[in-house]
C-alpha cells in the first residue's frame, strides 16, 4: 500500500462565528486518532499547531505514554503514540513526508460540509493507495472546520462522510476512524 | 431500515488483569458515540451502568446539552444527546426496545479479540438492517472488554474491526463509529 499520513490541523480553522482562529489541542484527539492511525497502518500522524504552548501540551501527552515507565505497563498505547509527530505548520509536515518518501504527497482535505471543490471518491483514493501511486496525506480540521484557503490549497477533498444525513456532526475522532476504514479497512467482511 | 440501537456497557467488564469490574462512565464516550449514533440514524443510544453515581454523571452530561440554555447556542450537540438513555442494566434496555418495537431485538456483541463464538459478517447484518427484519441492538464494551458470559448471552457477535492488523486497540469511540459506518453508512461512495 502507498504510505498514508494523517494530519490534525489547529490553524487556520473557523470558530462558530466563522472567524479564523487557532483551536486548542485536546488529549483525546491525540490519543484516539493515534490509536486508529496505528490500527490502520498509517505511517505518521501529525498534530499541527502554530502555538508553542499547544505544541508542548501535545508532546507532553505523547511523552507520557512513550516514556519507559509507561511502556512497562500492560497497555500498548505507547506503541500508537510513537507515530505521533507534533509540528508547527503544514509546510513542515509536507517537508517531513517529502524527506521520508522522496516525493510530495497527494494532499487531501476533509470537510463535513459540501465545498466548491469537486470531491475525489473514497473508492478512487482507496485504489490509489492499493496501487501504490505515492504517499497520500489526509488533513482533518478542528473547531468549526478548515478555512477555505486551506481547502483550496489541497490537491483534492474527500466528500462528507454522511452527506445525506440530516445530522452530520461527527467528532473529528469518529470522522478520522471512518475515513481510515473506508480507505484502508478490511473489505472481505 | 430496521431500527438500530447501540449500548455502551460498563459492567460486567474485564480490567487489565482480567478481573470482572464496573468501569467508569466518561464524558467523551457519551458525547462522541451520541454524535455518531445520531449521524447514522440510530434509534437510541443506551449508556448502561449499575452504579447510581455513574448513572447520575451520565444524565448530567446529557442534561448539560439538552437543557434550554444550551440548545439556544449554535451547537447542534443537544440534538444528538436527546437520543441518549441512561440505564441500569442490559435487561432494562432490552425491555425498553421491546416496548418500543413490539419484538425483542437481535442482540449483537462486539469484541476487539476473536472469540469462541462464530461471528456474523458485517455484510450480513447490513443486509438484515436494509431488509427490515426487526430491530438490531449492538453492544460495545469498555475497559478491557466484555466478560465472556455477556458475549455468550448475545445472539451474535461481529468480528474484530481489523482482525489482521498487528495493532488492534481502537478506542470504543472509534470502533463504534466504524461499526456504524459498515452497517449503516453510505455505500455509493
Amino acid at each position: 500500500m502507498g504510505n498514508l499520513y494523517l494530519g490534525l490541523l489547529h490553524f487556520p480553522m473557523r470558530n462558530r462565528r466563522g472567524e479564523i482562529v487557532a483551536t486548542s489541542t485536546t488529549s483525546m484527539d491525540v490519543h484516539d486518532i493515534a490509536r486508529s492511525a496505528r490500527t490502520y497502518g498509517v505511517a505518521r500522524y501529525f498534530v499541527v499547531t502554530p502555538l508553542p504552548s499547544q505544541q508542548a501540551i501535545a508532546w507532553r501527552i505523547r511523552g507520557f505514554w512513550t516514556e519507559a515507565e509507561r511502556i512497562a505497563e500492560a497497555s500498548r498505547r505507547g506503541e500508537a503514540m510513537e507515530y505521533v509527530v507534533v509540528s508547527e505548520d503544514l509546510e513542515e509536515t509536507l517537508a517531513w513526508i517529502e524527506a521520508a518518501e522522496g516525493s510530495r504527497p497527494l494532499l487531501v482535505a476533509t470537510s463535513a460540509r459540501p465545498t466548491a471543490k469537486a470531491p475525489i471518491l473514497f473508492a478512487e483514493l482507496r485504489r490509489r493507495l492499493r496501487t501504490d501511486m505515492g504517499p497520500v496525506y489526509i488533513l482533518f480540521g478542528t473547531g468549526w472546520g478548515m478555512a477555505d484557503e486551506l481547502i483550496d490549497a489541497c490537491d483534492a477533498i474527500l466528500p462528507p462522510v454522511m452527506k445525506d444525513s440530516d445530522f452530520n456532526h461527527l467528532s473529528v475522532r469518529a470522522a478520522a476512524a471512518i475515513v481510515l476504514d473506508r480507505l484502508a479497512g478490511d473489505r472481505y467482511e
Side-chain angles (χ1 to χ4, degrees), chain A:
Chain A
M1 192 172 90
N3 279 328
L4 181 58
Y5 292 82
L6 292 193
L8 182 71
L9 272 60
H10 296 80
F11 178 84
M13 295 298 135
R14 287 175 305 191
N15 66 10
R16 68 174 68 194
R17 289 179 297 279
E19 299 154 352
I20 301 304
V21 297
T23 60
S24 295
T25 308
T26 77
S27 170
M28 204 55 85
D29 287 349
V30 178
H31 275 279
D32 272 25
I33 299 176
R35 293 164 70 183
S36 296
R38 181 71 184 81
T39 298
Y40 285 89
V42 166
R44 281 295 181 280
Y45 164 39
F46 297 100
V47 176
V48 187
T49 170
L51 307 176
S53 62
Q54 296 288 315
Q55 291 164 19
I57 289 169
W59 279 121
R60 196 169 160 201
I61 293 165
R62 181 190 191 278
F64 182 83
W65 291 98
T66 53
E67 69 188 28
E69 289 86 342
R70 300 293 157 184
I71 286 174
E73 287 192 21
S75 170
R76 292 183 60 192
R77 201 174 286 206
E79 282 180 54
M81 297 300 265
E82 283 168 4
Y83 288 74
V84 174
V85 177
V86 184
S87 300
E88 186 177 343
D89 58 28
L90 183 58
E91 278 312 312
E92 187 180 270
T93 63
L94 286 167
W96 198 106
I97 296 171
E98 200 167 338
E101 300 281 341
S103 66
R104 198 176 180 283
L106 182 78
L107 187 59
V108 183
T110 57
S111 172
R113 268 171 283 241
T115 58
K117 216 178 177 98
I120 185 171
L121 295 178
F122 280 98
E124 189 182 333
L125 195 53
R126 184 181 173 86
R127 258 196 310 275
R128 194 187 155 103
L129 282 161
R130 298 268 148 177
T131 51
D132 206 2
M133 293 169 68
V136 171
Y137 182 22
I138 317 266
L139 301 185
F140 292 92
T142 48
W144 268 248
M146 294 184 198
D148 290 340
E149 311 84 83
L150 178 56
I151 292 177
D152 290 344
C154 291
D155 301 314
I157 187 166
L158 281 166
V161 162
M162 285 292 281
K163 68 183 169 59
D164 297 333
S165 175
D166 67 331
F167 183 94
N168 198 348
H169 300 274
L170 294 168
S171 71
V172 68
R173 300 166 289 279
I178 293 163
V179 166
L180 279 174
D181 192 57
R182 289 189 181 184
L183 295 179
D186 293 341
R187 275 288 179 276
Y188 44 78
E189 312 203 271

